[in-house]
Amino acid sequence: MPIKTRFAPSPTGFLHVGGLRTALFSYLFARKNGGEFLVRIEDTDQERFVEGGIENILRSLQWAGIQADAGVWLGEKGEVIQKGAAGPYTQSERLGVYKKYVQELLDKGNAYHCFCSKERLDELRSIQEAGKQPTGYDGLCRSLDEKTKANKLEGGESFVIRMKTPREGSTIFTDLVRGKVTFDNSLIEDQVLIKSDSFPTYHFAVVVDDHLMGITHVIRGEEWLPSTPKHILLYQMFGWQIPEFAHLSLLVNEQKQKLSKRHGDVSVEDFKEKGYLAEALVNFIAFLGWNPGDEREIFSLKELEQEFSFDKVSKAAAVFNREKFDWYNREYIRKMSDEALAEACRPYLENAGLVQKAEFLTHAVGLVKDRLVRLSDAPEMMGFLFAEELAYESELLIWKKSTRDDTAKILKKLHVFLQSIGENDWTKETLEIKVGEWIRENEYGTGDVLWPMRVALSGAKNSPGPYEMAGVLGKTRTLQLIQTGHKRL
Ligand code: GLU
């Protein structure tokens, strides 16, 4: 049977990086095994629905390069489309399907109507909690006689449909990540399958859909592990083939807390906005719980598609280490061409009011490429190249043991000398040779010249080298800045 995996998000707003990892592992497993990967929207909990949530999640997946073979996807204009033969792939459009299958369970005696009120269930819960017993439905309506049931239905009483879980035995399965897992059936409650609003619960819809869509491997977060025996029981009641399961460990921060919005950024969108590259995020996320078994750390999505396997997926919680993430981003930024990096930085610079021609930008990013961690740092690191006037204290121009007067004299002479260099020679390399010779001939101290030159061009203590900056700024601008520096002294 060809392998089929899926990612089944609920449209509650944004794509959490943990969700991205689930999607990525499902996608990689399908690709590695020549299978199919689909995206299904699980929107049966109407209260948790967020306007635009579906588009948002799909946009993040698309940005990360995780392409679905079937299911819900974004069209060319960013509209939600569905493709594939087993659709619709949005659960709220499949209500008729669930109705049909729950009827099958009712007919077989594997499910029953439950009329218990919210008050009764709340009271039951308090009693169970007070008695330190496991909480859960006690099965009161399990044995309701046909007549009472018919009367209640006729009287229009509100009801839910529950599954009749076996009271004895255990449910055992082998998880691809965690190995053999055993659940005692007596602890599995009679789960609601259809709610009073006639929508299915997650548990029911997920089983019906995974079966009808031919899913062979259910890959999801470990928070769903306790639900799995309920799902397996449903497969058994229907007589359907049970898929394989892989439950991925939790993502935690450096303090070993669950990665949540309360502790900072967690959504793919947030990281995109901060200027992390999709390739860096995907590479970093792949290593949260997986590794290739050797020292290699840099993997493109294509390479991951060839390497991924569950043998190398760990069941320990995976730490979302920001420093490592920054390291990845820096690595990927360094691999970009100056042109591509300039274009990637452009929106951040424009947002900060720093607009420049493409050619200048391309040279400018070359100056900071080695140190740039996030694209959003570009305005701060490159701002001095665009500023009308640089704000710095004149003392900053004076090199260690030099004096104000000497520095002023040197800047003045440097200004005169630089004027003699032709526009055609105005490159980092030629400037380095010419200014270097000039320093030696005049027996100046290197620091006495290059320090004030660097400060005059950048207005900062830390900046790229003076020749590189002068090369990017061009002759006119360089002369102007050196003159301003001189005047300040
Ligand atoms: N809709 C569930 C979620 O939001 C999917 C769980 C599953 O993959 O079975 O995480």
Side-chain angles (χ1 to χ4, degrees), residues 6 8-10 40 42 202 206 210 218-220 223-224 231:
R6 73 344 183 239
S10 298
R40 179 177 69 226
E42 303 207 325
Y202 153 72
V206 79
D210 281 343
V218 171
I219 299 163
R220 59 186 170 200
E223 66 274 25
W224 299 108
H231 301 172

Side-chain angles (χ1 to χ4, degrees), residues 342-356:
E343 279 321 300
C345 288
R346 180 182 288 283
Y348 297 91
L349 295 165
E350 283 180 354
N351 254 342
L354 306 169
V355 188
Q356 279 289 346

Side-chain angles (χ1 to χ4, degrees), residues 225 359 391 464:
L225 188 66
E359 200 194 332

Side-chain angles (χ1 to χ4, degrees), residues 8 73 109 115 124 129 202 218 229 234 268 332 413 426 439 468:
W73 203 240
F115 298 91
L124 178 66
E129 277 171 357
Y202 153 72
V218 171
L234 284 170
V268 172
Y332 278 90
K413 289 193 174 144
W426 201 271
I439 292 176
E468 288 166 289

